[in-house]
Amino acid sequence: MGKQAKKIMFQGTGSSVGKSLICAAMCRILSDMGMTVRPFKAQNMALNSFITKDGKEMGRAQVTQAECARVEPDVRMNPVLLKPNSDVGSQVILNGVAEFNMDAAEYHRYKSQLTDVVMDAYNTLAAEADVVVIEGAGSPAEINLRDNDIVNMGLAEMIDAPVVLIGDIDRGGVFASIYGTIKLLPPDEQARFAGYLINKFRGDVELLKPGIEMMDPMLHVPCLGVVPYTRVVIDDEDSVTDRWYGKHEGQIKIGIVRLRHVSNFTDATVFDMYPEVSVEYYKNEREIERSEPDLLVIPGSKNTIDDVKHLKMSKMADAIIKKHEEGVPVVGICGGYQIIGKTISDPHHVESQADIIEGLGLLDIDTELEETKTTTQETGTMLNGFLDIDPDDKKVRGYEIHMGQSRPRTAETKPFAKLADGRYDGAVSPDKTVVGTYLHGIFDNDELRESLLNQIKAKKHIAAGAVHDYQAFKESQYDLLAKTVKEAVDMDQIMAILDGSQQH
């Protein structure tokens, strides 16, 4: 039998308590210590996904964790991905491939059949690593979902993992949520907790210590640290995010239309590294009308047809078109690219019972939804500029996740880029004020992004700034996150948990 990787699992008192970032930090900390680290999350529900080099789809949180561990993202790190495509149902992606759609009740019954999928992925990853850092989902205290659990205590039992519980003090009631989460579980599961962390703390930690001391005799589970609230520019996992509401005033404003089924809004994360750029998210007609964006972005969508219907019904479509008529350039990415075209047809009823629907009409293209999903990483070269950007052999890199193909109606609508595999991507309007592309991560391309921002700056009589290296910036943010967590957490206890030598 081969070596057995050490393991540590982080679960939370609820969603968005910071599990993903704590796991990412731990991946970087342990990697810095010279260990071979692999992240793992058995089941992830998220609208932000990524395509690996071999064309498989996985959640972005595990991509971030892999980057923190300095390893290539691998779909085994997230073998089950659920992508909500309605209020009650999700697309089920197994080992990176979209298999079927299920509603919540169907999936809960089906989960018991996924044990082998999860364990095969975990065991092969563990065979390659010194340590596996495991992330739970939601809360283990969702006791109504304990049967057939494959991501929280069910997984911890299957792989015999020690568990650290994370509580979010920023929400209030952190001691109650930590105590209640643990005490709702049966004694054998309570015994798995090796400690807890208090996350997102603001203020004087001395004021918190009496509460921690009072918890000791009640829980018999040690506090492993109090992690301060830290602002880092790292991709969010899904729509449970503070990003919708956090704003700062910048000289340049990027407006993002917040679709009902928005996906991969991480395409705009890169702009957070610019202090002079503010990113705003618009959820209704009034917010678009009152805004003064320098660029309007229609992001990806998990249900393009439903989002078009909602944009029209809510009058957001009219507000978008009006902003463009007033001179605001528009970028549509993936589903957003489809939305800003003339028509979207769905002959196989992939997304709806509608055969065809009119889009916003900003690009002279037609889209036909297909049963087969395109999932691939791509490189290419810009063919036609956007605004006054000279394509000048600018290279582009990104990844595609879509269920359809879009084609220009006339020769006046030029392709945006030529891809390395010979295909053409996207479209640019004749006046170059609208561009659509299937490439997620398009703004991550340093040269293209800087050219775009400099065009906006020139229009506003703002001096061009220094070129930003996004990859280097991401690494600096990962290091900042790791430093913050390492200084706040009792790493001796963490190592003892990993070694199995922890003393309660």
Side-chain angles (χ1 to χ4, degrees):
M1 188 174 180
K3 69 172 184 175
Q4 290 293 304
K6 299 174 182 179
K7 51 192 172 280
I8 186 168
M9 186 174 195
F10 292 89
Q11 297 187 21
T13 57
S15 296
S16 201
V17 300
K19 295 185 296 291
S20 296
L21 289 186
I22 293 292
C23 287
M26 205 54 60
C27 286
R28 177 54 58 105
I29 292 166
L30 297 173
S31 175
D32 286 342
M33 295 170 68
M35 300 182 192
T36 301
V37 186
R38 298 289 186 272
F40 184 76
K41 185 169 184 174
Q43 171 194 293
N44 200 348
M45 177 175 279
L47 284 169
N48 291 334
S49 61
F50 178 80
I51 300 302
T52 61
K53 284 186 174 178
D54 58 352
K56 302 294 179 63
E57 189 172 3
M58 63 184 287
R60 287 202 69 97
Q62 282 59 62
V63 173
T64 293
Q65 292 159 8
E67 291 174 349
C68 284
R70 300 183 175 92
V71 295
E72 186 69 30
D74 186 317
V75 75
R76 293 175 298 167
M77 299 167 183
N78 175 210
V80 182
L81 175 62
L82 307 177
K83 296 188 77 173
N85 53 12
S86 72
D87 291 339
V88 295
S90 295
Q91 184 179 69
V92 181
I93 297 166
L94 304 180
N95 290 318
V97 179
E99 296 288 355
F100 31 69
N101 293 309
M102 283 185 172
D103 65 31
E106 287 177 309
Y107 179 72
H108 184 64
R109 293 191 294 269
Y110 176 74
K111 267 194 303 185
S112 62
Q113 300 178 44
L114 295 176
T115 301
D116 288 345
V117 172
V118 168
M119 290 305 298
D120 287 348
Y122 175 81
N123 287 331
T124 55
L125 273 181
E128 302 170 359
D130 298 321
V131 180
V132 183
V133 176
I134 306 151
E135 180 185 343
S139 166
E142 292 161 349
I143 53 178
N144 55 310
L145 301 177
R146 177 59 180 87
D147 290 349
N148 304 328
D149 174 55
I150 57 172
V151 68
N152 286 316
M153 282 300 176
L155 176 63
E157 182 180 342
M158 285 189 281
I159 63 176
D160 192 22
V163 178
V164 175
L165 185 66
I166 301 170
D168 178 0
I169 196 170
D170 198 49
R171 296 181 172 194
V174 71
F175 291 121
S177 61
I178 290 170
Y179 180 86
T181 297
I182 293 175
K183 289 300 183 180
L184 272 172
L185 303 178
D188 61 320
E189 293 185 356
Q190 291 185 33
R192 288 202 174 274
F193 286 98
Y196 67 88
L197 291 173
I198 295 175
N199 195 25
K200 305 183 189 178
F201 181 71
R202 311 176 198 239
D204 185 350
V205 74
E206 291 298 319
L207 297 176
L208 201 61
K209 285 183 177 178
I212 294 171
E213 291 168 0
M214 292 169 69
M215 289 276 278
D216 285 345
M218 292 189 287
L219 270 185
H220 305 289
V221 175
C223 178
L224 303 179
V226 178
V227 182
Y229 193 102
T230 306
R231 171 67 173 149
V232 288
V233 180
I234 292 176
D235 283 340
D236 293 280
E237 180 180 36
D238 55 29
S239 57
V240 184
T241 176
D242 295 332
R243 187 174 295 276
W244 304 138
Y245 316 106
K247 290 184 180 179
H248 76 272
E249 286 300 316
Q251 295 169 290
I252 296 173
K253 287 185 172 61
I254 310 292
I256 315 290
V257 177
R258 186 176 165 185
L259 304 170
R260 286 188 72 210
H261 303 285
V262 63
S263 67
N264 284 65
F265 58 84
T266 47
D267 285 333
T269 301
V270 62
F271 293 115
D272 288 353
M273 71 173 170
Y274 295 86
E276 70 272 28
V277 177
S278 60
V279 179
E280 301 176 343
Y281 294 86
Y282 309 133
K283 66 178 183 295
N284 57 47
E285 173 197 14
R286 293 184 305 279
E287 291 184 350
I288 297 174
E289 287 177 341
R290 295 170 183 169
S291 67
E292 296 182 352
D294 298 297
L295 179 71
L296 196 55
V297 179
I298 319 297
S301 167
K302 194 64 193 73
N303 191 320
T304 304
I305 287 181
D306 191 66
D307 276 338
V308 169
K309 289 179 178 178
H310 181 259
L311 288 175
K312 291 181 176 180
M313 180 185 67
S314 65
K315 306 290 187 180
M316 291 175 73
D318 293 338
I320 292 167
I321 293 168
K322 185 177 179 183
K323 283 295 173 188
H324 177 250
E325 290 173 347
E326 291 171 354
V328 178
V330 176
V331 174
I333 302 174
C334 196
Y337 170 34
Q338 298 175 345
I339 285 169
I340 61 177
K342 291 285 189 182
T343 66
I344 305 167
S345 60
D346 191 3
H348 308 289
H349 298 156
V350 172
E351 289 187 354
S352 74
Q353 293 306 305
D355 291 323
I356 191 167
I357 188 171
E358 290 187 1
L360 272 59
L362 297 177
L363 273 179
D364 200 17
I365 62 159
D366 294 316
T367 295
E368 181 176 313
L369 300 183
E370 299 174 339
E371 295 177 291
T372 303
K373 194 173 193 177
T374 299
T375 57
T376 179
Q377 286 191 14
E378 289 293 345
T379 59
T381 304
M382 279 184 66
L383 289 181
N384 292 282
F386 173 54
L387 299 177
D388 293 325
I389 298 172
D390 183 354
D392 193 27
D393 291 329
K394 284 185 174 62
K395 304 298 181 184
V396 293
R397 175 185 296 274
Y399 55 98
E400 295 182 61
I401 318 170
H402 56 95
M403 300 286 286
Q405 300 297 328
S406 301
R407 296 174 179 84
R409 289 179 159 199
T410 64
E412 283 73 32
T413 301
K414 305 292 186 182
F416 170 64
K418 185 173 184 179
L419 304 179
D421 61 9
R423 292 183 298 130
Y424 292 99
D425 168 71
V428 181
S429 64
D431 65 359
K432 298 187 177 181
T433 63
V434 182
V435 65
T437 177
Y438 275 118
L439 294 179
H440 288 293
I442 190 65
F443 296 129
D444 294 358
N445 292 276
D446 291 341
E447 190 178 359
L448 184 152
R449 182 187 66 254
E450 295 292 340
S451 295
L452 173 60
L453 290 177
N454 284 337
Q455 288 292 320
I456 296 172
K457 288 178 179 178
K459 184 178 178 181
K460 303 187 77 169
H461 306 291
I462 301 170
V467 175
H468 289 64
D469 182 335
Y470 184 45
Q471 189 58 43
F473 178 79
K474 283 173 66 175
E475 289 296 319
S476 73
Q477 295 297 293
Y478 295 158
D479 288 339
L480 172 61
L481 174 66
K483 179 177 182 291
T484 301
V485 172
K486 186 177 182 180
E487 290 175 351
V489 172
D490 187 337
M491 285 304 299
D492 290 337
Q493 286 251 49
I494 295 292
M495 298 311 296
I497 293 168
L498 286 169
D499 293 335
S501 61
Q502 184 195 33
Q503 299 294 317
H504 282 282

mmCIF file with all atom_site columns, all heavy atoms in Angstrom, residues 356-370:
data_model
loop_
_atom_site.group_PDB
_atom_site.id
_atom_site.type_symbol
_atom_site.label_atom_id
_atom_site.label_alt_id
_atom_site.label_comp_id
_atom_site.label_asym_id
_atom_site.label_entity_id
_atom_site.label_seq_id
_atom_site.pdbx_PDB_ins_code
_atom_site.Cartn_x
_atom_site.Cartn_y
_atom_site.Cartn_z
_atom_site.occupancy
_atom_site.B_iso_or_equiv
_atom_site.pdbx_formal_charge
_atom_site.auth_seq_id
_atom_site.auth_comp_id
_atom_site.auth_asym_id
_atom_site.auth_atom_id
_atom_site.pdbx_PDB_model_num
ATOM 1   N N   . ILE A 1 356 ? -37.339 30.188 -29.991 1.00 0.00 ? 356 ILE A N   1
ATOM 2   C CA  . ILE A 1 356 ? -36.464 31.310 -30.338 1.00 0.00 ? 356 ILE A CA  1
ATOM 3   C C   . ILE A 1 356 ? -36.911 32.544 -29.556 1.00 0.00 ? 356 ILE A C   1
ATOM 4   O O   . ILE A 1 356 ? -38.098 32.686 -29.239 1.00 0.00 ? 356 ILE A O   1
ATOM 5   C CB  . ILE A 1 356 ? -36.494 31.590 -31.867 1.00 0.00 ? 356 ILE A CB  1
ATOM 6   C CG1 . ILE A 1 356 ? -35.384 32.567 -32.253 1.00 0.00 ? 356 ILE A CG1 1
ATOM 7   C CG2 . ILE A 1 356 ? -37.862 32.061 -32.315 1.00 0.00 ? 356 ILE A CG2 1
ATOM 8   C CD1 . ILE A 1 356 ? -35.141 32.637 -33.771 1.00 0.00 ? 356 ILE A CD1 1
ATOM 9   N N   . ILE A 1 357 ? -35.971 33.387 -29.222 1.00 0.00 ? 357 ILE A N   1
ATOM 10  C CA  . ILE A 1 357 ? -36.265 34.616 -28.495 1.00 0.00 ? 357 ILE A CA  1
ATOM 11  C C   . ILE A 1 357 ? -35.350 35.711 -29.025 1.00 0.00 ? 357 ILE A C   1
ATOM 12  O O   . ILE A 1 357 ? -34.210 35.437 -29.432 1.00 0.00 ? 357 ILE A O   1
ATOM 13  C CB  . ILE A 1 357 ? -36.068 34.424 -26.973 1.00 0.00 ? 357 ILE A CB  1
ATOM 14  C CG1 . ILE A 1 357 ? -36.564 35.654 -26.191 1.00 0.00 ? 357 ILE A CG1 1
ATOM 15  C CG2 . ILE A 1 357 ? -34.632 34.092 -26.628 1.00 0.00 ? 357 ILE A CG2 1
ATOM 16  C CD1 . ILE A 1 357 ? -36.606 35.429 -24.691 1.00 0.00 ? 357 ILE A CD1 1
ATOM 17  N N   . GLU A 1 358 ? -35.832 36.934 -29.052 1.00 0.00 ? 358 GLU A N   1
ATOM 18  C CA  . GLU A 1 358 ? -35.001 38.052 -29.483 1.00 0.00 ? 358 GLU A CA  1
ATOM 19  C C   . GLU A 1 358 ? -34.112 38.511 -28.346 1.00 0.00 ? 358 GLU A C   1
ATOM 20  O O   . GLU A 1 358 ? -34.534 38.596 -27.192 1.00 0.00 ? 358 GLU A O   1
ATOM 21  C CB  . GLU A 1 358 ? -35.881 39.219 -29.945 1.00 0.00 ? 358 GLU A CB  1
ATOM 22  C CG  . GLU A 1 358 ? -36.611 38.951 -31.243 1.00 0.00 ? 358 GLU A CG  1
ATOM 23  C CD  . GLU A 1 358 ? -37.329 40.185 -31.745 1.00 0.00 ? 358 GLU A CD  1
ATOM 24  O OE1 . GLU A 1 358 ? -37.238 41.248 -31.087 1.00 0.00 ? 358 GLU A OE1 1
ATOM 25  O OE2 . GLU A 1 358 ? -37.982 40.087 -32.806 1.00 0.00 ? 358 GLU A OE2 1
ATOM 26  N N   . GLY A 1 359 ? -32.842 38.815 -28.680 1.00 0.00 ? 359 GLY A N   1
ATOM 27  C CA  . GLY A 1 359 ? -31.918 39.351 -27.704 1.00 0.00 ? 359 GLY A CA  1
ATOM 28  C C   . GLY A 1 359 ? -32.014 40.868 -27.642 1.00 0.00 ? 359 GLY A C   1
ATOM 29  O O   . GLY A 1 359 ? -33.005 41.462 -28.089 1.00 0.00 ? 359 GLY A O   1
ATOM 30  N N   . LEU A 1 360 ? -30.961 41.508 -27.149 1.00 0.00 ? 360 LEU A N   1
ATOM 31  C CA  . LEU A 1 360 ? -30.974 42.966 -27.001 1.00 0.00 ? 360 LEU A CA  1
ATOM 32  C C   . LEU A 1 360 ? -30.641 43.683 -28.309 1.00 0.00 ? 360 LEU A C   1
ATOM 33  O O   . LEU A 1 360 ? -30.832 44.890 -28.416 1.00 0.00 ? 360 LEU A O   1
ATOM 34  C CB  . LEU A 1 360 ? -29.990 43.397 -25.907 1.00 0.00 ? 360 LEU A CB  1
ATOM 35  C CG  . LEU A 1 360 ? -30.555 43.444 -24.475 1.00 0.00 ? 360 LEU A CG  1
ATOM 36  C CD1 . LEU A 1 360 ? -31.085 42.082 -24.039 1.00 0.00 ? 360 LEU A CD1 1
ATOM 37  C CD2 . LEU A 1 360 ? -29.498 43.929 -23.490 1.00 0.00 ? 360 LEU A CD2 1
ATOM 38  N N   . GLY A 1 361 ? -30.076 42.950 -29.276 1.00 0.00 ? 361 GLY A N   1
ATOM 39  C CA  . GLY A 1 361 ? -29.863 43.523 -30.598 1.00 0.00 ? 361 GLY A CA  1
ATOM 40  C C   . GLY A 1 361 ? -28.684 44.465 -30.733 1.00 0.00 ? 361 GLY A C   1
ATOM 41  O O   . GLY A 1 361 ? -28.593 45.210 -31.707 1.00 0.00 ? 361 GLY A O   1
ATOM 42  N N   . LEU A 1 362 ? -27.755 44.435 -29.781 1.00 0.00 ? 362 LEU A N   1
ATOM 43  C CA  . LEU A 1 362 ? -26.591 45.317 -29.869 1.00 0.00 ? 362 LEU A CA  1
ATOM 44  C C   . LEU A 1 362 ? -25.516 44.764 -30.806 1.00 0.00 ? 362 LEU A C   1
ATOM 45  O O   . LEU A 1 362 ? -24.668 45.510 -31.287 1.00 0.00 ? 362 LEU A O   1
ATOM 46  C CB  . LEU A 1 362 ? -25.991 45.548 -28.476 1.00 0.00 ? 362 LEU A CB  1
ATOM 47  C CG  . LEU A 1 362 ? -26.906 46.266 -27.465 1.00 0.00 ? 362 LEU A CG  1
ATOM 48  C CD1 . LEU A 1 362 ? -26.220 46.372 -26.116 1.00 0.00 ? 362 LEU A CD1 1
ATOM 49  C CD2 . LEU A 1 362 ? -27.271 47.647 -27.987 1.00 0.00 ? 362 LEU A CD2 1
ATOM 50  N N   . LEU A 1 363 ? -25.544 43.466 -31.043 1.00 0.00 ? 363 LEU A N   1
ATOM 51  C CA  . LEU A 1 363 ? -24.641 42.840 -32.008 1.00 0.00 ? 363 LEU A CA  1
ATOM 52  C C   . LEU A 1 363 ? -25.470 42.093 -33.038 1.00 0.00 ? 363 LEU A C   1
ATOM 53  O O   . LEU A 1 363 ? -26.454 41.424 -32.692 1.00 0.00 ? 363 LEU A O   1
ATOM 54  C CB  . LEU A 1 363 ? -23.692 41.856 -31.310 1.00 0.00 ? 363 LEU A CB  1
ATOM 55  C CG  . LEU A 1 363 ? -22.383 42.378 -30.733 1.00 0.00 ? 363 LEU A CG  1
ATOM 56  C CD1 . LEU A 1 363 ? -21.612 41.228 -30.073 1.00 0.00 ? 363 LEU A CD1 1
ATOM 57  C CD2 . LEU A 1 363 ? -21.512 43.047 -31.787 1.00 0.00 ? 363 LEU A CD2 1
ATOM 58  N N   . ASP A 1 364 ? -25.059 42.160 -34.284 1.00 0.00 ? 364 ASP A N   1
ATOM 59  C CA  . ASP A 1 364 ? -25.806 41.548 -35.377 1.00 0.00 ? 364 ASP A CA  1
ATOM 60  C C   . ASP A 1 364 ? -25.409 40.076 -35.515 1.00 0.00 ? 364 ASP A C   1
ATOM 61  O O   . ASP A 1 364 ? -24.794 39.666 -36.504 1.00 0.00 ? 364 ASP A O   1
ATOM 62  C CB  . ASP A 1 364 ? -25.540 42.314 -36.676 1.00 0.00 ? 364 ASP A CB  1
ATOM 63  C CG  . ASP A 1 364 ? -26.622 42.052 -37.715 1.00 0.00 ? 364 ASP A CG  1
ATOM 64  O OD1 . ASP A 1 364 ? -27.697 41.562 -37.330 1.00 0.00 ? 364 ASP A OD1 1
ATOM 65  O OD2 . ASP A 1 364 ? -26.382 42.344 -38.903 1.00 0.00 ? 364 ASP A OD2 1
ATOM 66  N N   . ILE A 1 365 ? -25.771 39.289 -34.489 1.00 0.00 ? 365 ILE A N   1
ATOM 67  C CA  . ILE A 1 365 ? -25.425 37.859 -34.479 1.00 0.00 ? 365 ILE A CA  1
ATOM 68  C C   . ILE A 1 365 ? -26.661 37.049 -34.098 1.00 0.00 ? 365 ILE A C   1
ATOM 69  O O   . ILE A 1 365 ? -27.585 37.545 -33.454 1.00 0.00 ? 365 ILE A O   1
ATOM 70  C CB  . ILE A 1 365 ? -24.296 37.538 -33.472 1.00 0.00 ? 365 ILE A CB  1
ATOM 71  C CG1 . ILE A 1 365 ? -24.746 37.890 -32.048 1.00 0.00 ? 365 ILE A CG1 1
ATOM 72  C CG2 . ILE A 1 365 ? -23.003 38.250 -33.842 1.00 0.00 ? 365 ILE A CG2 1
ATOM 73  C CD1 . ILE A 1 365 ? -23.957 37.185 -30.965 1.00 0.00 ? 365 ILE A CD1 1
ATOM 74  N N   . ASP A 1 366 ? -26.658 35.779 -34.495 1.00 0.00 ? 366 ASP A N   1
ATOM 75  C CA  . ASP A 1 366 ? -27.671 34.814 -34.085 1.00 0.00 ? 366 ASP A CA  1
ATOM 76  C C   . ASP A 1 366 ? -26.976 33.696 -33.306 1.00 0.00 ? 366 ASP A C   1
ATOM 77  O O   . ASP A 1 366 ? -25.888 33.239 -33.687 1.00 0.00 ? 366 ASP A O   1
ATOM 78  C CB  . ASP A 1 366 ? -28.388 34.210 -35.298 1.00 0.00 ? 366 ASP A CB  1
ATOM 79  C CG  . ASP A 1 366 ? -29.213 35.243 -36.050 1.00 0.00 ? 366 ASP A CG  1
ATOM 80  O OD1 . ASP A 1 366 ? -29.907 36.030 -35.390 1.00 0.00 ? 366 ASP A OD1 1
ATOM 81  O OD2 . ASP A 1 366 ? -29.130 35.269 -37.303 1.00 0.00 ? 366 ASP A OD2 1
ATOM 82  N N   . THR A 1 367 ? -27.618 33.252 -32.238 1.00 0.00 ? 367 THR A N   1
ATOM 83  C CA  . THR A 1 367 ? -27.083 32.168 -31.417 1.00 0.00 ? 367 THR A CA  1
ATOM 84  C C   . THR A 1 367 ? -28.031 30.982 -31.453 1.00 0.00 ? 367 THR A C   1
ATOM 85  O O   . THR A 1 367 ? -29.255 31.153 -31.364 1.00 0.00 ? 367 THR A O   1
ATOM 86  C CB  . THR A 1 367 ? -26.891 32.615 -29.962 1.00 0.00 ? 367 THR A CB  1
ATOM 87  O OG1 . THR A 1 367 ? -25.896 33.631 -29.905 1.00 0.00 ? 367 THR A OG1 1
ATOM 88  C CG2 . THR A 1 367 ? -26.458 31.455 -29.081 1.00 0.00 ? 367 THR A CG2 1
ATOM 89  N N   . GLU A 1 368 ? -27.489 29.795 -31.589 1.00 0.00 ? 368 GLU A N   1
ATOM 90  C CA  . GLU A 1 368 ? -28.277 28.571 -31.476 1.00 0.00 ? 368 GLU A CA  1
ATOM 91  C C   . GLU A 1 368 ? -27.713 27.739 -30.339 1.00 0.00 ? 368 GLU A C   1
ATOM 92  O O   . GLU A 1 368 ? -26.533 27.373 -30.346 1.00 0.00 ? 368 GLU A O   1
ATOM 93  C CB  . GLU A 1 368 ? -28.248 27.764 -32.778 1.00 0.00 ? 368 GLU A CB  1
ATOM 94  C CG  . GLU A 1 368 ? -29.093 26.490 -32.706 1.00 0.00 ? 368 GLU A CG  1
ATOM 95  C CD  . GLU A 1 368 ? -29.153 25.744 -34.028 1.00 0.00 ? 368 GLU A CD  1
ATOM 96  O OE1 . GLU A 1 368 ? -29.401 26.396 -35.067 1.00 0.00 ? 368 GLU A OE1 1
ATOM 97  O OE2 . GLU A 1 368 ? -28.938 24.514 -34.025 1.00 0.00 ? 368 GLU A OE2 1
ATOM 98  N N   . LEU A 1 369 ? -28.555 27.456 -29.343 1.00 0.00 ? 369 LEU A N   1
ATOM 99  C CA  . LEU A 1 369 ? -28.135 26.629 -28.216 1.00 0.00 ? 369 LEU A CA  1
ATOM 100 C C   . LEU A 1 369 ? -28.027 25.174 -28.659 1.00 0.00 ? 369 LEU A C   1
ATOM 101 O O   . LEU A 1 369 ? -28.822 24.699 -29.478 1.00 0.00 ? 369 LEU A O   1
ATOM 102 C CB  . LEU A 1 369 ? -29.113 26.764 -27.052 1.00 0.00 ? 369 LEU A CB  1
ATOM 103 C CG  . LEU A 1 369 ? -29.280 28.178 -26.487 1.00 0.00 ? 369 LEU A CG  1
ATOM 104 C CD1 . LEU A 1 369 ? -30.216 28.162 -25.282 1.00 0.00 ? 369 LEU A CD1 1
ATOM 105 C CD2 . LEU A 1 369 ? -27.931 28.763 -26.078 1.00 0.00 ? 369 LEU A CD2 1
ATOM 106 N N   . GLU A 1 370 ? -27.039 24.473 -28.104 1.00 0.00 ? 370 GLU A N   1
ATOM 107 C CA  . GLU A 1 370 ? -26.776 23.098 -28.499 1.00 0.00 ? 370 GLU A CA  1
ATOM 108 C C   . GLU A 1 370 ? -26.801 22.193 -27.277 1.00 0.00 ? 370 GLU A C   1
ATOM 109 O O   . GLU A 1 370 ? -26.666 22.646 -26.139 1.00 0.00 ? 370 GLU A O   1
ATOM 110 C CB  . GLU A 1 370 ? -25.406 23.000 -29.189 1.00 0.00 ? 370 GLU A CB  1
ATOM 111 C CG  . GLU A 1 370 ? -25.315 23.833 -30.455 1.00 0.00 ? 370 GLU A CG  1
ATOM 112 C CD  . GLU A 1 370 ? -23.901 23.849 -31.038 1.00 0.00 ? 370 GLU A CD  1
ATOM 113 O OE1 . GLU A 1 370 ? -22.953 23.573 -30.268 1.00 0.00 ? 370 GLU A OE1 1
ATOM 114 O OE2 . GLU A 1 370 ? -23.761 24.128 -32.237 1.00 0.00 ? 370 GLU A OE2 1
#
